[in-house]
Every structure is written in structure tokens, then in C-alpha cells.
Amino acid sequence: MTDSLRIIPLGGLGEVGKNMTVFELGDERIVVDAGLAFPRDEHFGVDLVLPDFSYLVGRPVRAIVLTHAHEDHVGGLPYVLREVDVDEVIGTRLTLALVKSKLDEHGLAAVTALTEAEPGSAPIELGPFRIEFIRMAHSIPDAAAVVIETSAGRVLHTGDWKLDHTPVDGLKTDVGALAALGNLGVDLLLGDSTNAERPGMTGSERLVGEAFRQLIPLRTGRIVVASFASNIHRVQQAAEVAIANGRKVAVVGRSMRKNMNISRSLGYVDLPDEMIVSPKEAMDLPPGEVLILCTGSQGEPMSALSRIAQRNHSFVHITPGDTVILASSLIPGNENAVFKVINGLIRLGANVVHKGNANVHVSGHASAGELLYAYNIVKPRNVLPVHGEYRHMKANAELARSTGVENVVIAEDGVVVDLVDGVASIAGKVDCGYVFVDGSNIGDITESDLKDRRILGEEGFISVIVVVDSVTGKVSSGPEIHARGFAEDDSTFDEIKKPICEALDRAVAEGNTDSYQLQQTVRRVVGRWVSNTHRRRPMIIPVVIEA
Amino acid sequence: MTDSLRIIPLGGLGEVGKNMTVFELGDERIVVDAGLAFPRDEHFGVDLVLPDFSYLVGRPVRAIVLTHAHEDHVGGLPYVLREVDVDEVIGTRLTLALVKSKLDEHGLAAVTALTEAEPGSAPIELGPFRIEFIRMAHSIPDAAAVVIETSAGRVLHTGDWKLDHTPVDGLKTDVGALAALGNLGVDLLLGDSTNAERPGMTGSERLVGEAFRQLIPLRTGRIVVASFASNIHRVQQAAEVAIANGRKVAVVGRSMRKNMNISRSLGYVDLPDEMIVSPKEAMDLPPGEVLILCTGSQGEPMSALSRIAQRNHSFVHITPGDTVILASSLIPGNENAVFKVINGLIRLGANVVHKGNANVHVSGHASAGELLYAYNIVKPRNVLPVHGEYRHMKANAELARSTGVENVVIAEDGVVVDLVDGVASIAGKVDCGYVFVDGSNIGDITESDLKDRRILGEEGFISVIVVVDSVTGKVSSGPEIHARGFAEDDSTFDEIKKPICEALDRAVAEGNTDSYQLQQTVRRVVGRWVSNTHRRRPMIIPVVIEA
């Protein structure tokens, strides 16, 4: 009997990316990444979106192998570790340091076995799986691809990567290791699709440093640089250019401070202590002698930069002549929030520099040219595009095919792909939806709750309370009508009270005394009235109480 | 005494653009444009956003002068005409034809005096104002700038424009008229700021025709072209290229059909009748012999293109090999909706062409280079940037200053600007917010309702109903607890019922029998419980009924 390696993507394929892929050989399994996604408009008020890992509950996992420490790859870990039997978590040094801090916050650090593994070090045996890391350049240090050797074939999961020839830390994507692996023979490549639609090559992170070197020396006011806190090389480059130009550096925003502390203590960032000042100290320095690093480049309403733009930050204030650099991407869906922040900053007199008017951002993901290059050196027999919306996976699939890859499988979340005899093919599907985190509730919010929230958020509600005599069935109190989000005033509902009572009397006279039926009667009367009179469809909550 | 011309922008300056500007000389006034805006996320469920024209209520208006028929310039007209005393509405031929159709739908066409005026024809006297139109190229035919002559000075309101040297209809921006006006002397220019941040020149609409000529002949499947219905030249170009390549044309989507009918009947679009087919007929033709024009290029959920992408359209179905061209901009805030449509179309096997991968869109607004050119030929003494967010107005102001304009005033909505002795300056402010249209309610939805909707939409609500005995004050029925949008099940609230009763008993024992006070007691108990137990903040609606 031939061995079969089963691959199940549980998240990451679709419009809300949160990467997690199961690799299974018989009843043995490992998982690559355990990400989360940030909610979108259609997720009305939920805090986080997790991959649906219910498939793993009751199915022990040898290891969760992490490619890098971005939230969409590690953010789901605390939730997964609480529900799933996982022997250990494996990752590179910085990845584990950042993950450990996260697990600490969830009270899980002490009970989780974290195993450090460096690219190029000895393979790790995990039952029938043997894994190795290959260094990849990305927008966070210490990112890696994962090689999985099994009796059913050799798999390369690229993680998130690009082909940066001049990374800030000098640690390039290990093209030699990829080529060697290609020469050994790769049966299946799972590859980052994010930029597959983008022609050419993605620029080096060092280009952003070059932009800083052009921008920062010319400025005389304060400089604020906003970036993702995890883009440690970008933050480092801004700080280095600032220091070289006689500016001290302050760090603002919780995640920025945390990541800087971890990166500096592990030696990933080297900045002299005496050049780092507190935000308060920074504001006491002459404006031309300070650079402030902060979070909020996506316009997040509670972030440091949003509060600065609203003149609402405890320490940092913008004065005319200051410069704000948004050294960041503009994630679709965030544009209006970001433009609002930019408008606020410009109103305060700041010059705002962003990727629209300077080269202050490069992507962390391989463009089409780099993907073609990877297919040509790895020469995989099968390709499974991951990490992207359908359009990205489709574009990635076309690129793979154009280099001669025999078999490309597009599998959305929950689709089961089996690798047998060197051929990957779809073998089934497991249940796989979204798991919503809202407050302390995990997975309790359903699509039906979101539908209710949509109606409530767009239309508001009208509640109608009627007390009926439990003996006669006659209305003894009410109807009392409350509405919220409906543009109501006290008298709006006066005209509908009598029709409600009459309808209830009729219903009772016809023998319908069941309170569910009476509630439906109220709903019908009020629904018809509000639709005809106000052309609206608020949620109607009829309550009939017997007393 | 010197005359003073008062200018009050009531909308259009800010993140939700809906253009409307009042020009006032003593108690005489005219208004340029009366637009509306489409709501954004923060407008939870409202249908439309109008400028706040309360300043005009009770202040008669000689004329509303329209620059062109885009919704953000004419969409508010039916609402304004119902509340404000307006003698007449003046515009170019196509503008009025499209406006008339809109007024018809609101039952206002018969009672509104519409006065047609062509660029270059004799000036129109409106009391102390004398107005003239100057032809401007834009993304809808028959757009115009407005020249307003008064005893206090000469004003040019550009409307929306670009410097298209090869417009599809041959009707170029009338640079000669602008130069002549500049030579006469322009005291104040109000100018379109939309693309002021964009360097260089905006491309000609004819470039999109060129893209169609490259794309359409190569395709063998059905072709669907989505565009704004008002971009009549773009629609016309797609249809002409289709017909030249042996394809018949079908028009799908209400506004697209309406605009095509009006444009064809007035001669703005010339397409042979025998080449136009119904959507149903189109689907019976061989795929290579049809092109479908449709709405929905912004991913609007109920639009033709969204329904096609969801396999949910009555007639139009995508089959593998079909091509969909989104010949449109991507308005910030719409990206995710558009990408969802694109993913759906690609899943169905379509090739999707959009501005990201082909030149199928050009803007209708002047870029920085064209604005500089305009300032240099018009040579205004004062400039008031209009039509844009603050960042756009600021960029436009910088451009004007760089050409030597003496005085640039940035005035947000409601700011009163007086032009006296050839100098424009801020003279005050009138109340000016947003007016929301929701169902048949106009202006009833307040910021407080939107705040309620936000809470309801993000958190849901818990309503707690308690019936107390009107004599003893004791709880006689309930608490009955209902929740929606909260991830509730029947037993969630069991644990809080007893504490509610106990708190009420205590309150009554302390002599607090007023139902408002009892409701506050319920709110406190439930609020604290839900925050501690669920870490959430739903709306809490306590209802205490005496019976």
C-alpha cells in the first residue's frame, strides 16, 4: 500500500486570511501556522476571526510549526492550544520570542513546549514527519519556509516570503537551499499567493531605508514614523537614519514598545541606549532633534497615530512643520480610516509622506517574477497555492502552470488534498467556517447573530411590550413601545398603539391566546405599519407577558 | 459702500463629498449644484447623505445652477426643491435631461422650471448675478464651469473637469474661453481639488477606447463591461468597439438602461438599433457575438455585476472563457466589495480585466499639472479649493500658491467666505452638518441614532422586562430577558435573574419605587454582569412595567 499524505488548509485561503494547514499521515499530524484574521465590516463588532480548527479537536498534533510571527500566522495559537492536544510549538528564535510574549498574556507560556529551530540546523523528527527550515526574507525577521519529508513525498511550504537580495539583516532567502531541494525533488509546493497578480519583482526592504535617508535629513520639525510594529527592520532603519542625523528616538504604542524591547534584547535591533528617550522627554527636545516611532499606520481608531491626528494623545502633539511618514501598506478596507488620519494630520499642519507620494513602503511578498523563479528552481511536481484571495490563488496557479508544473490544485479552506504516488488531488472536504472571538466568547457568535447585528446596526429595533390578563386574555398594560437607532421621538408610535390592541383583541376573540401567536400578531401589525409609513425594516421585538 | 459677495460651501468639502455652494449678494442668492453623497460605514444603514441646506430654508434662491449631472452634484436636488424656494434650475442639455428623469421619479418635474443654457450662449441675468457656462471635459458629457459676474467681482466655479485634448465627443475644455476670462480678470476661482495630489496630467477618455480596441477583438467568449452608468462616453466606446467586432450589445441594470435611453434619444450616443439586443436575446447568441454593458463596477451588493458574480442574475450567466472588464475607478471603501465580485467572477471561470491590469480607466478630474495650467491661464486673484477631502484641498491650495495666486482660502463646509474689494476672507460660519435620508425619513436620523446603531451593530442588545405590582412594588412577573446579536442561548441569562430580583427588592425596600430608578437598577446589575462575565458592552434596555 502506498502512503498518502493528507493536506487540509483550515484558513488563509479566502478573503479573510488566517493561515493554518494540517499535514496528516495516517493518524499522525503536524500543523503549519495558526493565524488569526482581523474582522471586516461584515463581521459586525467581533474582535477576531479564527480559523475553524474543530477538525483538530480530539486529534492529537505532534507539533505546530511556525513560519514567522505575523498575527495571521501565529495569532490563533493561544486559542488552538486551549482546545487541541499539541505536543510542542516549533519556530525560529525571534518567532518564538514574540509568540512567548503572546502566550504569557494568555497564561499559556508555562504550559507550552516551545522548541527553537534555526534554518539549516539538523532536521527535526516528528513521528513520520521530518521537518527542516529554510530561511526566507519577509517583512519580519527570522521568517522561514518549512520542508516536510514523509514516506508519501517531500513537501515545501514557503510561508510568506520574497526574494530580497539586500535584506537589512543580510539574511537572504536561501536560494541555494531551495535549489538543492529542487534537485532532490519536491513533490508538493504550498506557496504564498499574495502578490501573484503583481508583475515583476518586489523591492528590497533596504529601499525604504533609502527613502528615509532622503527624507529625514531635510526636515526641521518633529518626525513621526508610523509602521507595523512587527516590521522590525523598517523601524530599525528609521531609527538609524534619525540617530545619524542627530535625532533621538522615542517609541509610542504598546505593540511597538513590546516588539522593540524583544528585538533589542535578542540583538535583532542594535540602537544605543542613550539615543532612546521616552515620549515625554521627546516632546521636551527641540523638534529637529527627535523622531517618534509609532503604531497606527492602518488608521486603527484607538492607535497612537489616530490619537495624535485627533489631538488626543497624552504626549505627542503635532505642530506646523512636523512630518509624519506612514511607512506602510494600505490594506484594502482601511483606506477611509487612513485618509481620515491623514486629513487630521494635515489640518494640524503636518507634512504627510506615504506610499502614494514616496517610496516608504515595499511589500513583504514575492511578486509574479519571484514566483516564476521559485517554481523554476524548486521544480515542484504539484503546487497548492495558499495565502490569498481566490483571484491571487488563481494567478499563482497560472504562474506555476506557465513554468511547466504538471499539476496545480486550488483548494479553498476545508478542502482535503491527498498526495498519493506523487500526485496531489482533492479527496474531500471537512467542515470549515469562521470562528469568531467576541469579548470572552469564542465561537459562540454565529452567522445568525451577525445577521441580527447587521439588521440592528442598519435599521435599529422597535420593541413592543404588552401585558395581557392571564384570565381574560385582554390587554391589561401597554403596549409600551421602545425604539433605538430608529429616529424615533416619543409620539412616533402613538398612532400604532390602538391598532395593536385591536389586533390582539381580535386574535383573542378568535381563540389565539398562545403568547407566541400573540407576539406574531404584534410583529405583523407593527412591521406592516413601519414599512408603509416609514419605508424601513427595523428589527421588531414583540413581547407579550401574561400577568 | 463696497459690495460684498458671500460664498458658503454647504457640502463637498470633506470626506463625504456632496457639492453645493451658495453665492449671496445682499438678500439675493444663487446656488451652484445640489449634490448628495453615498453613506460610508460610519453612517450605519442610512440610504443617502444630503448637504445641510437648512441655511436656505426661508431664504429664496434665484436659481440652482448645475455644472453636470453626477449624483454628487445633482442628487440632492429633489430634497432641496421640496424645502427651499427656488425660482429655476439651470443646466446644459444632457444635465437637465438626466435631472428631469430624476425629478419625475420624485413627482417634481411638473413643478420645477428647468432652463437650458449652452456654453458660449448669451449670459443669463439673475438679479444681481449674471451667469455664463464654459464647456469643460469630464467623465460625463455636457459638463460646464460657471462664471458668475457680480458688482463685487467675477467668479469662476470650475465644476468637475479635466483637460481632455481628445474627448470622445470632440467637445474639449474651452481653454480659449478660460484664457479670455483670465484676461478680463477673475477675482475668485473655486476649483475641483480631487486629483490635486496626483502629479502630471490625467489621461484622455479616449485611452479607454484604445484599451477596448486592444482587448475586445482578442476575446472569444462573452464580454461584460461594467462601468458607471453616467460615463456615457465610456459605455459608447465599449459598444462601438463591440459592434465593429461583430458583437451585439445588451444593456443590463436600471440606471445603465435609463442613461442609454436618454443619451440615445438626445443624440449623445449613436448606436444602430439593430445591434442592440435584450439581455435574454444576448444569452441566446453565440458567446463570441455579444457584449453586455452593466452597472455594479463598485461592487454594490444588489447591482447587476454582483448578482452575476453570485450566479444570481436572471439572464446573464458567466461561463468559463468569458471576459469581464471593470472599466471603472476603485473608490476607497469599496475595495473589498469589488474584490469579492472579482473573486466570484474568477471562480466562475471569467477572465477579469480591471484598472489594476489594463488601462480601462482614466479619471475625470484634473491632475496637478492641469490645475497649474488652469491657474496660469485664469490668473485668479483668490482661490477657494472645493471638491475634495482636506488633503486634496491643501494640495490644491499649494498648487495655486506656487503659480503666484495671492490669496488662497481653505474653507470647510459651512464656513462663510466674503469677497470684498477683490479679497476673499473667512467671515463666519453657519450650522452645517449632514442630513441623512433613511427610508422616507429625511433629517430625522441624528448622530445619536447612529451611535445607537453602532452599539447595536457591534454588540447587540439585552432587554430585561420586569412587571412590578403597582401596590406592593414587588416583582410580579419576570425578569423576562431577550437578547439579539449577543450569542445568547436560552440559559445564558438564568444566573442573572435572581440578582436582578434581589436588587429590585432592595431598591423598593429603600423606597425607590419610581420606575425610572428601578430601570437604572436593572441596567447597573445587568451591565456589570455582562461586562465581568462576557467582557462585552451590549445595549441594555431595562423595562419596568407596573401592573
Side-chain angles (χ1 to χ4, degrees):
Chain A
M1 201 189 83
T2 315
D3 284 332
S4 163
L5 175 66
R6 174 155 286 191
I7 300 111
I8 315 176
L10 293 181
L13 314 184
E15 284 145 22
V16 184
K18 50 211 161 0
N19 299 276
M20 186 167 192
T21 311
V22 180
F23 294 87
E24 202 171 72
L25 206 70
D27 196 36
E28 297 276 0
R29 62 188 66 75
I30 62 173
V31 171
V32 173
D33 289 336
L36 61 70
F38 295 99
R40 296 178 20 162
D41 293 343
E42 66 261 34
H43 302 131
F44 296 85
V46 306
D47 299 326
L48 301 170
V49 183
L50 301 178
D52 181 351
F53 51 84
S54 52
Y55 176 78
L56 293 174
V57 176
R59 291 186 165 94
V61 172
R62 284 266 183 182
I64 297 181
V65 183
L66 303 174
T67 59
H68 64 289
H70 277 154
E71 286 296 300
D72 59 335
H73 293 258
V74 305
L77 207 47
Y79 305 94
V80 174
L81 290 174
R82 278 200 207 96
E83 307 275 337
V84 179
D85 175 10
V86 178
D87 287 355
E88 61 183 319
V89 174
I90 304 176
T92 58
R93 185 149 164 263
L94 182 67
T95 303
L96 288 192
L98 293 170
V99 159
K100 185 165 183 300
S101 151
K102 175 186 298 293
L103 295 179
D104 259 337
E105 289 167 16
H106 284 81
L108 288 165
V111 297
T112 307
L114 299 177
T115 305
E116 195 178 306
E118 285 305 297
S121 61
I124 299 174
E125 306 283 343
L126 298 163
F129 305 94
R130 195 168 65 163
I131 68 155
E132 268 178 280
F133 283 125
I134 294 179
R135 179 165 306 284
M136 304 295 264
H138 186 43
S139 44
I140 187 169
D142 245 7
V146 181
V147 182
I148 306 169
E149 301 263 4
T150 72
S151 56
R154 183 178 294 117
V155 177
L156 173 67
H157 189 309
T158 67
D160 292 1
W161 73 285
K162 67 174 179 177
L163 202 62
D164 191 336
H165 290 295
T166 56
V168 173
D169 58 8
L171 298 171
K172 300 166 200 170
T173 289
D174 190 345
V175 176
L178 293 174
L181 195 75
N183 292 337
L184 279 178
V186 169
D187 295 292
L188 174 65
L189 181 148
L190 290 87
D192 179 0
S193 310
T194 312
N195 278 349
E197 289 185 315
R198 206 177 286 187
M201 312 289 274
T202 301
S204 170
E205 178 61 30
R206 210 172 279 271
L207 294 175
V208 179
E210 188 50 45
F212 291 148
R213 276 188 289 279
Q214 290 175 18
L215 288 164
I216 290 175
L218 299 175
R219 309 283 157 159
T220 52
R222 270 181 212 98
I223 299 177
V224 176
V225 176
S227 147
F228 278 123
S230 61
N231 202 327
I232 288 159
H233 287 147
R234 190 164 300 174
V235 170
Q236 177 190 344
Q237 292 188 99
E240 284 175 354
V241 177
I243 291 169
N245 284 278
R247 289 176 184 261
K248 296 201 171 180
V249 173
V251 182
V252 172
R254 202 183 70 93
S255 59
M256 185 69 85
R257 283 201 310 277
K258 190 184 91 173
N259 285 12
M260 277 296 275
N261 287 342
I262 293 173
S263 315
R264 290 183 71 206
S265 70
L266 293 183
Y268 284 85
V269 171
D270 183 21
L271 297 174
D273 279 341
E274 65 276 17
M275 297 307 287
I276 310 290
V277 294
S278 74
K280 194 168 172 311
E281 288 164 343
M283 295 306 288
D284 292 336
L285 289 171
E289 295 178 16
V290 64
L291 179 137
I292 294 160
L293 297 165
C294 78
T295 51
S297 64
Q298 295 303 313
E300 305 90 329
M302 301 306 294
S303 67
L305 193 64
S306 281
R307 284 182 288 132
I308 292 169
Q310 289 160 43
R311 302 185 80 143
N312 202 13
H313 194 274
S314 317
F315 298 113
V316 184
H317 311 288
I318 293 293
T319 47
D322 289 354
T323 298
V324 179
I325 303 175
L326 281 87
S328 52
S329 64
L330 190 41
I331 296 176
N334 297 347
E335 288 87 351
N336 283 328
V338 171
F339 293 147
K340 195 172 176 178
V341 167
I342 292 177
N343 286 326
L345 294 167
I346 292 178
R347 265 195 197 92
L348 296 174
N351 298 302
V352 180
V353 178
H354 51 80
K355 62 174 270 202
N357 55 25
N359 293 320
V360 289
H361 174 70
V362 294
S363 172
H365 298 275
S367 296
E370 292 152 278
L371 295 175
L372 292 171
Y373 183 86
Y375 292 129
N376 281 336
I377 58 170
V378 177
K379 297 166 283 185
R381 292 176 68 184
N382 299 271
V383 163
L384 183 64
V386 292
H387 204 283
E389 302 176 18
Y390 195 89
R391 60 195 173 107
H392 303 129
M393 296 195 284
K394 186 74 192 303
N396 197 359
E398 295 300 331
L399 293 171
R401 283 197 193 100
S402 72
T403 66
V405 173
E406 292 156 33
N407 184 34
V408 182
V409 179
I410 295 187
E412 297 196 69
D413 289 349
V415 168
V416 175
V417 176
D418 282 351
L419 178 68
V420 189
D421 286 335
V423 178
S425 57
I426 290 174
K429 191 155 182 10
V430 301
D431 281 344
C432 191
Y434 292 158
V435 174
F436 299 114
V437 178
D438 197 15
S440 58
N441 297 345
I442 299 160
D444 292 345
I445 292 279
T446 62
E447 288 291 338
S448 151
D449 291 307
L450 293 186
K451 194 179 158 200
D452 281 350
R453 288 186 182 182
R454 185 181 61 73
I455 296 169
L456 289 167
E458 294 182 354
E459 299 276 352
F461 72 86
I462 300 175
S463 84
V464 181
I465 301 162
V466 182
V467 183
V468 296
D469 187 295
S470 56
V471 180
T472 66
K474 289 266 178 197
V475 174
S476 65
S477 177
E480 189 164 325
I481 303 183
H482 298 260
R484 296 297 284 271
F486 179 74
E488 63 290 349
D489 62 35
D490 287 350
S491 61
T492 307
F493 302 107
D494 287 350
E495 66 188 78
I496 191 60
K497 288 184 177 173
K498 198 166 157 228
I500 294 172
C501 291
E502 288 169 356
L504 285 173
D505 286 347
R506 265 198 311 279
V508 171
E510 286 164 12
N512 297 322
T513 54
D514 172 70
S515 67
Y516 173 76
Q517 283 180 322
L518 294 179
Q519 281 166 194
Q520 291 304 96
T521 300
V522 172
R523 187 194 304 278
R524 262 196 309 276
V525 172
V526 177
R528 203 175 301 141
W529 169 78
V530 74
S531 166
N532 291 339
T533 315
H534 295 275
R535 286 208 252 146
R536 299 260 302 283
R537 302 198 169 277
M539 187 179 282
I540 295 165
I541 321 277
V543 182
V544 173
I545 298 176
E546 291 184 24
Chain B
M1 200 188 86
T2 314
D3 285 333
S4 163
L5 176 66
R6 175 155 285 191
I7 300 112
I8 315 175
L10 294 182
L13 314 184
E15 284 146 21
V16 182
K18 49 211 162 1
N19 300 275
M20 186 166 191
T21 312
V22 179
F23 295 85
E24 204 171 71
L25 206 70
D27 195 38
E28 296 277 359
R29 63 190 63 75
I30 62 173
V31 171
V32 173
D33 289 336
L36 60 71
F38 295 99
R40 295 178 22 162
D41 294 343
E42 66 262 33
H43 302 130
F44 296 85
V46 307
D47 298 327
L48 302 170
V49 183
L50 300 179
D52 181 351
F53 51 84
S54 50
Y55 177 78
L56 293 174
V57 176
R59 291 186 165 95
V61 172
R62 284 263 182 185
I64 296 181
V65 183
L66 303 174
T67 60
H68 63 288
H70 278 153
E71 286 296 300
D72 59 335
H73 294 258
V74 304
L77 208 46
Y79 305 94
V80 174
L81 290 174
R82 277 199 207 98
E83 307 275 338
V84 180
D85 175 10
V86 177
D87 287 356
E88 60 183 319
V89 174
I90 304 176
T92 57
R93 186 150 165 261
L94 181 67
T95 304
L96 288 192
L98 293 169
V99 159
K100 186 164 183 300
S101 151
K102 175 186 299 292
L103 295 179
D104 260 336
E105 289 167 16
H106 284 80
L108 288 164
V111 297
T112 307
L114 299 176
T115 306
E116 196 179 304
E118 285 305 298
S121 60
I124 300 174
E125 306 283 345
L126 298 163
F129 305 95
R130 195 168 65 162
I131 68 155
E132 269 179 278
F133 283 125
I134 294 179
R135 181 166 304 285
M136 304 294 265
H138 186 43
S139 44
I140 186 169
D142 245 7
V146 182
V147 182
I148 306 170
E149 302 263 5
T150 73
S151 55
R154 184 178 292 117
V155 177
L156 174 67
H157 188 310
T158 67
D160 292 2
W161 71 285
K162 67 174 180 178
L163 202 63
D164 191 336
H165 291 294
T166 56
V168 173
D169 57 8
L171 298 170
K172 300 165 200 170
T173 289
D174 190 346
V175 176
L178 293 173
L181 196 74
N183 292 337
L184 279 178
V186 170
D187 295 291
L188 174 65
L189 181 148
L190 291 88
D192 178 0
S193 308
T194 312
N195 278 350
E197 289 186 314
R198 206 178 285 186
M201 312 289 274
T202 300
S204 170
E205 178 62 30
R206 209 172 280 270
L207 293 175
V208 179
E210 187 51 44
F212 290 149
R213 275 187 290 279
Q214 290 175 16
L215 288 163
I216 291 175
L218 300 175
R219 311 282 157 159
T220 52
R222 268 180 214 99
I223 298 176
V224 175
V225 176
S227 149
F228 278 123
S230 62
N231 202 326
I232 287 158
H233 288 147
R234 190 163 299 174
V235 170
Q236 176 189 345
Q237 290 187 99
E240 284 175 355
V241 177
I243 290 170
N245 284 277
R247 290 176 184 262
K248 296 199 171 182
V249 173
V251 182
V252 172
R254 202 184 70 93
S255 59
M256 186 70 86
R257 282 201 311 276
K258 191 184 91 172
N259 285 11
M260 278 295 274
N261 287 342
I262 292 174
S263 315
R264 289 182 73 206
S265 70
L266 294 182
Y268 285 85
V269 172
D270 183 22
L271 297 174
D273 280 341
E274 64 275 17
M275 296 309 286
I276 310 291
V277 294
S278 74
K280 192 168 174 309
E281 287 164 344
M283 295 305 288
D284 291 337
L285 289 170
E289 295 178 15
V290 64
L291 179 138
I292 294 161
L293 297 164
C294 78
T295 52
S297 63
Q298 296 301 314
E300 305 91 328
M302 300 305 294
S303 68
L305 193 63
S306 281
R307 284 182 287 133
I308 292 169
Q310 290 159 42
R311 301 185 81 143
N312 201 14
H313 194 275
S314 317
F315 298 113
V316 184
H317 311 288
I318 293 293
T319 47
D322 288 355
T323 298
V324 179
I325 303 175
L326 281 86
S328 51
S329 64
L330 189 42
I331 295 175
N334 296 347
E335 288 87 350
N336 284 328
V338 171
F339 293 148
K340 192 170 179 183
V341 167
I342 292 176
N343 285 326
L345 293 168
I346 292 178
R347 266 196 196 91
L348 296 175
N351 298 301
V352 180
V353 178
H354 50 80
K355 62 174 269 204
N357 56 24
N359 294 320
V360 290
H361 174 68
V362 294
S363 171
H365 298 274
S367 295
E370 291 152 280
L371 295 175
L372 291 171
Y373 183 86
Y375 292 128
N376 281 335
I377 56 169
V378 176
K379 297 167 283 185
R381 293 177 67 183
N382 299 272
V383 163
L384 182 65
V386 293
H387 205 281
E389 301 176 18
Y390 195 89
R391 61 195 172 107
H392 303 129
M393 294 195 284
K394 187 73 192 305
N396 197 359
E398 296 300 332
L399 293 171
R401 283 197 193 99
S402 73
T403 65
V405 173
E406 295 155 32
N407 184 36
V408 183
V409 179
I410 295 188
E412 298 196 70
D413 290 348
V415 168
V416 175
V417 176
D418 281 351
L419 178 68
V420 189
D421 286 334
V423 178
S425 57
I426 290 175
K429 191 155 180 13
V430 301
D431 280 344
C432 189
Y434 292 158
V435 175
F436 299 114
V437 178
D438 197 16
S440 58
N441 297 344
I442 299 160
D444 294 344
I445 293 278
T446 62
E447 288 292 337
S448 151
D449 291 310
L450 292 186
K451 195 179 157 199
D452 282 349
R453 287 186 182 182
R454 185 181 61 71
I455 296 169
L456 289 168
E458 294 183 353
E459 299 276 354
F461 73 86
I462 300 176
S463 85
V464 181
I465 301 161
V466 182
V467 182
V468 295
D469 187 295
S470 55
V471 180
T472 64
K474 290 266 178 197
V475 174
S476 65
S477 176
E480 188 162 326
I481 304 183
H482 298 260
R484 296 298 283 272
F486 179 76
E488 64 290 349
D489 63 35
D490 286 349
S491 61
T492 307
F493 302 107
D494 287 350
E495 65 189 77
I496 192 59
K497 287 183 177 173
K498 201 166 153 227
I500 294 172
C501 290
E502 288 168 356
L504 286 174
D505 286 347
R506 267 199 309 281
V508 171
E510 288 163 11
N512 297 322
T513 54
D514 170 70
S515 65
Y516 174 77
Q517 284 180 321
L518 295 178
Q519 279 166 196
Q520 291 304 96
T521 301
V522 172
R523 187 193 303 278
R524 263 196 309 277
V525 172
V526 177
R528 202 175 301 141
W529 168 78
V530 74
S531 168
N532 291 339
T533 315
H534 294 276
R535 287 208 251 146
R536 298 262 302 282
R537 303 198 168 277
M539 188 179 283
I540 296 166
I541 320 277
V543 182
V544 174
I545 298 176
E546 292 183 24

